[in-house]
Amino acid sequence: MNLYKSALKTFVFKIVGLSLAFLIQILFGRLLPKELYGEYTVFVSYLNLFTIITVFGMDTNLIREISRRDDGSSFSLLKYAIIFSVILSILISTVLFFAKYINIFQIKYIIMFIVLLIGITIGKIIDGFLQGKHLVEKVTIVNQIIKNIFKILLFLFFKVIGSDLFFATIISHFIAELFSLLIRIFLCKNIVSKNHYMLSKNEKSIFIRYSLSLGIISGLVLLMTTIDKLIISEFLSFADVANYMVSQNYGLLLSVFVMPSIVFWPKISRCFSDGEFNQIKTDLQNIVKMILFLTVPMFFLISFKSTNLLMIFGIDYVTSNGKYVLIILSFAVLYDALSGPIGSIMTMSNYATLNLISNIISLILNIVISIVLLNYFGIIGVAIGTAISIIFRNVFAMVLVRIKLKIIAYDKKFFLLLIFSIFFNVLVYIFYNSLFDISSYLLDLILYFIVTYFMNGLLLLIFKKEVKTLISSFVNED
């Protein structure tokens, strides 16, 4: 149970951290002009893009390697990974500094961009080391909670003293990242061993080669969440990026309701190692039912109350395009959620190469469809391209897992629950509108949220047998 308690704590910390990150987006969206909010989004998107290269997959590989090494060799591996990543970061930074297209940023921000790139890269490497040392909770607290609180306070401070708003967003991001890096270095210093161990050339070569394979897989996933905004900034404007980002924020918020499934990952990993595929099938079907109860009501809330949600960021964001983008992206996230941890199951299998191919095809689909449809539908076209790529990736994974491992995510009961939940939430909306007519968009949104989840809570009583089965599969695990 300790493993599950740790996973549950991490889940709670992630929820708090994501809530803070969402608050930051609201703060920036409301206080910054739309063009500047879009420019900041592009700034962060480029950071995410280039850290894919500079981190080189070593953060993920360190989790795997450090957990099975002694203190002396683990510190040597951390040192080697930091040196390698810093060299990569400096090379990339040099190219960026002299590249013409980087001139979309002011020169002072380019310098901060480069320092941030190096700092974030080192931070991710240290995160991999700390997680390998089973300090996942502390890493999550630093990255998701402390850093975001510090960023909010810094932004408000620079705004109060009258700083340029775009500068305030960049400098608060800059200082918060470096501050969190210092905390991680401090955590690292308290656990590293002073034992000297020299890595062999072969060990270094194996580490880099395996890191590269992991980096390609994780990098493609990250790239798929970034490329849409870069396409919009290239072909449209920063204001369009801002409109798209506001809608995307709610899609990310919907993904929060998927996070309870992480408490099942350790069990699924153990079952996979023991070859208990029937148990994985049972757990997967339980997981998607749990996710269904959480996400379907939120999807309908987003769809029915899209105007209220966009109003939170400001009246300028309440557009028909924004509403369509919001619903399209939310549907894609909903489908991704209802697929369950199918991608994780593929990664654990011997078919990781096929998973990589799926991600590559999905990325190509995203880019091609987005660019083609963008000319006709603007940001709605980009949202359609992104949604199609997400759906394709999940369908591919489900078909593969069904054929190769005989694991099916859905049973008949799932489809009955899905149909019932859809009709039920439509009825809740009709019921709500017949009783309430509230002028305040925020009060209306809060009350509708309460009514929706209260009614869906009552719905759980009808399916209490399934809920008990789901909970017992977690609680009774040794």
Side-chain angles (χ1 to χ4, degrees):
M1 282 296 294
N2 287 336
L3 189 61
Y4 283 93
K5 286 180 180 178
S6 177
L8 191 58
K9 285 182 183 178
T10 302
F11 159 67
V12 172
F13 293 146
K14 283 181 178 290
I15 290 292
V16 175
L18 282 172
S19 300
L20 289 169
F22 188 72
L23 179 60
I24 290 171
Q25 293 299 323
I26 294 174
L27 198 63
F28 289 175
R30 288 194 71 91
L31 296 180
L32 269 66
K34 190 181 287 188
E35 284 281 341
L36 293 185
Y37 179 52
E39 190 172 359
Y40 168 75
T41 300
V42 172
F43 184 95
V44 174
S45 297
Y46 274 118
L47 271 177
N48 293 333
L49 175 65
F50 290 112
T51 51
I52 294 173
I53 303 172
T54 57
V55 173
F56 209 73
M58 290 184 289
D59 56 338
T60 306
N61 198 10
L62 278 171
I63 298 173
R64 169 179 169 269
E65 289 289 336
I66 297 302
S67 62
R68 61 186 189 184
R69 287 175 175 263
D70 60 46
D71 288 340
S73 63
S74 64
F75 175 67
S76 298
L77 195 61
L78 170 65
K79 184 178 177 182
Y80 174 71
I82 290 177
I83 293 172
F84 188 91
S85 65
V86 168
I87 292 172
L88 265 182
S89 300
I90 292 173
L91 290 173
I92 295 295
S93 299
T94 303
V95 173
L96 290 179
F97 189 80
F98 292 103
K100 290 182 180 180
Y101 68 84
I102 203 65
N103 287 330
I104 60 172
F105 303 122
Q106 299 178 37
I107 187 65
K108 60 182 178 182
Y109 300 146
I110 294 173
I111 294 173
M112 280 195 283
F113 181 90
I114 290 172
V115 175
L116 265 175
L117 179 63
I118 297 172
I120 291 172
T121 299
I122 296 172
K124 285 182 177 291
I125 297 296
I126 294 176
D127 284 347
F129 174 82
L130 293 172
Q131 290 179 71
K133 290 291 187 182
H134 310 293
L135 297 175
V136 179
E137 293 174 24
K138 290 184 178 180
V139 170
T140 305
I141 290 172
V142 173
N143 284 339
Q144 303 281 344
I145 299 177
I146 295 177
K147 182 172 69 177
N148 284 331
I149 290 175
F150 201 50
K151 190 183 296 183
I152 292 171
L153 295 176
L154 283 168
F155 175 75
L156 293 175
F157 169 76
F158 283 109
K159 183 182 182 303
V160 168
I161 64 174
S163 298
D164 173 79
L165 285 176
F166 185 64
F167 174 78
T169 59
I170 300 299
I171 194 65
S172 59
H173 190 109
F174 179 83
I175 297 175
E177 286 286 354
L178 296 186
F179 177 71
S180 69
L181 175 61
L182 291 176
I183 296 176
R184 282 173 281 183
I185 291 173
F186 176 78
L187 290 173
C188 197
K189 284 184 67 176
N190 286 339
I191 61 172
V192 296
S193 169
K194 296 182 180 180
N195 296 331
H196 184 69
Y197 178 89
M198 184 69 70
L199 292 173
S200 67
K201 288 184 178 180
N202 186 51
E203 284 179 300
K204 293 177 181 178
S205 177
I206 292 173
F207 176 74
I208 292 299
R209 286 201 305 270
Y210 193 73
S211 294
L212 177 60
S213 64
L214 293 175
I216 292 173
I217 295 172
S218 60
L220 284 170
V221 174
L222 181 57
L223 189 56
M224 281 188 283
T225 64
T226 303
I227 195 68
D228 46 4
K229 294 178 286 291
L230 297 182
I231 289 173
I232 294 170
S233 69
E234 183 66 27
F235 291 94
L236 296 175
S237 67
F238 286 138
D240 289 306
V241 174
N243 281 325
Y244 187 90
M245 185 61 190
V246 166
S247 298
Q248 192 180 59
N249 284 329
Y250 288 107
L252 296 174
L253 188 64
L254 179 61
S255 67
V256 169
F257 290 81
V258 184
M259 285 186 147
S261 67
I262 69 173
V263 300
F264 288 88
W265 289 357
K267 182 181 178 183
I268 290 177
S269 179
R270 178 187 61 76
C271 290
F272 203 98
S273 299
D274 296 339
E276 299 175 3
F277 296 116
N278 285 332
Q279 185 60 50
I280 294 176
K281 176 182 173 181
T282 300
D283 286 340
L284 180 59
Q285 291 178 352
N286 284 334
I287 289 170
V288 295
K289 287 171 190 165
M290 174 186 69
I291 292 173
L292 183 152
F293 282 122
L294 292 171
T295 56
V296 171
M298 179 54 68
F299 172 73
F300 279 100
L301 184 148
I302 290 173
S303 300
F304 292 141
K305 297 295 180 180
S306 57
T307 299
N308 301 54
L309 292 169
L310 294 174
M311 273 292 295
I312 291 176
F313 282 81
I315 189 66
D316 290 343
Y317 292 101
V318 182
T319 64
S320 58
N321 283 355
K323 293 178 186 178
Y324 284 123
V325 170
L326 176 57
I327 294 171
I328 292 168
L329 292 179
S330 296
F331 177 79
V333 174
L334 175 67
Y335 187 85
D336 184 50
L338 293 179
S339 299
I342 202 76
S344 300
I345 292 174
M346 279 187 66
T347 303
M348 294 174 196
S349 71
N350 295 322
Y351 305 104
T353 302
L354 291 174
N355 190 24
L356 174 61
I357 293 172
S358 169
N359 286 336
I360 292 173
I361 295 173
S362 298
L363 178 61
I364 294 172
L365 280 174
N366 192 346
I367 295 172
V368 173
I369 295 174
S370 294
I371 292 176
V372 171
L373 294 184
L374 177 144
N375 293 313
Y376 299 96
F377 306 109
I379 60 174
I380 296 175
V382 178
I384 293 171
T386 301
I388 290 174
S389 67
I390 292 172
I391 292 170
F392 170 82
R393 187 176 75 241
N394 282 282
V395 169
F396 184 94
M398 284 191 288
V399 171
L400 182 66
V401 169
R402 171 68 180 90
I403 294 172
K404 298 294 185 180
L405 303 176
K406 311 300 181 186
I407 295 175
I408 308 173
Y410 310 126
D411 55 12
K412 291 181 181 179
K413 194 168 291 184
F414 170 83
F415 290 106
L416 290 174
L417 289 173
L418 178 61
I419 294 170
F420 189 86
S421 182
I422 290 172
F423 280 106
F424 182 80
N425 281 281
V426 171
L427 290 174
V428 168
Y429 175 70
I430 295 172
F431 168 76
Y432 178 86
N433 279 351
S434 66
L435 290 181
F436 302 101
D437 182 18
I438 301 173
S439 58
S440 169
Y441 77 91
L442 192 56
L443 183 59
D444 179 49
L445 184 63
I446 293 171
L447 185 58
Y448 182 71
F449 176 85
I450 294 171
V451 170
T452 296
Y453 275 94
F454 175 77
M455 297 298 290
N456 277 271
L458 295 178
L459 179 63
L460 291 180
L461 296 177
I462 301 175
F463 300 102
K464 60 182 178 182
K465 182 179 178 181
E466 285 75 13
V467 176
K468 286 181 179 179
T469 301
L470 179 64
I471 295 174
S472 64
S473 67
F474 164 64
V475 174
N476 297 330
E477 178 68 17
D478 293 327

